[in-house]
Amino acid sequence: MLYVILGQDQPESLEQRMAARPEHLSRLESLRDAGRLIIAGPLPAVDSPDPGPAGFTGSVIVAEFPSLAEAEAWANADPYVTRGVFRSVQVYPFKRVMP
């Protein structure tokens, strides 16, 4: 089943985010290579694809996992969680309708 992972950043966490980004992307690439990643990306803090020093407010990931528990475990092991970028992470079952 598909799950939405919504991570919300700590205030002033851009430097931590950039330091953890290579590990975070590596985990996403593993999902992609397994054919389980639908979409992933950050939420800019301002209305711009490059928010500069304003940074990001969080990230969204939609991916396939065998269960909600496994999606939550994967999300909680992410470097953005373990290295203090995210202040919270929610995982929701997702039913894709389009496209």
Side-chain angles (χ1 to χ4, degrees), residues 19-82:
R21 189 170 188 262
E23 293 173 67
H24 172 75
L25 290 179
S26 177
R27 295 179 85 238
L28 290 172
E29 289 165 354
S30 293
L31 285 178
R32 179 201 61 204
D33 294 349
R36 297 171 44 202
L37 182 64
I38 305 303
I39 193 167
L43 303 170
V46 295
D47 189 14
S48 172
D50 180 4
F56 301 92
T57 61
S59 295
V60 174
I61 299 166
V62 178
E64 183 179 356
F65 293 92
S67 68
L68 177 59
E70 290 185 56
E72 289 172 332
W74 186 93
N76 288 325
D78 191 86
Y80 283 2
V81 173
T82 62

Side-chain angles (χ1 to χ4, degrees), residues 5-9 17 43 57-60 86-90:
I5 299 169
L6 176 59
Q8 295 187 329
D9 285 17
R17 176 183 268 272
L43 303 170
T57 61
S59 295
V60 174
F86 288 159
R87 65 183 161 107
S88 68
V89 177
Q90 292 87 37

Side-chain angles (χ1 to χ4, degrees), residues 2 94-99:
L2 295 177
F94 179 73
K95 182 180 177 192
R96 184 176 183 167
V97 175
M98 287 189 217

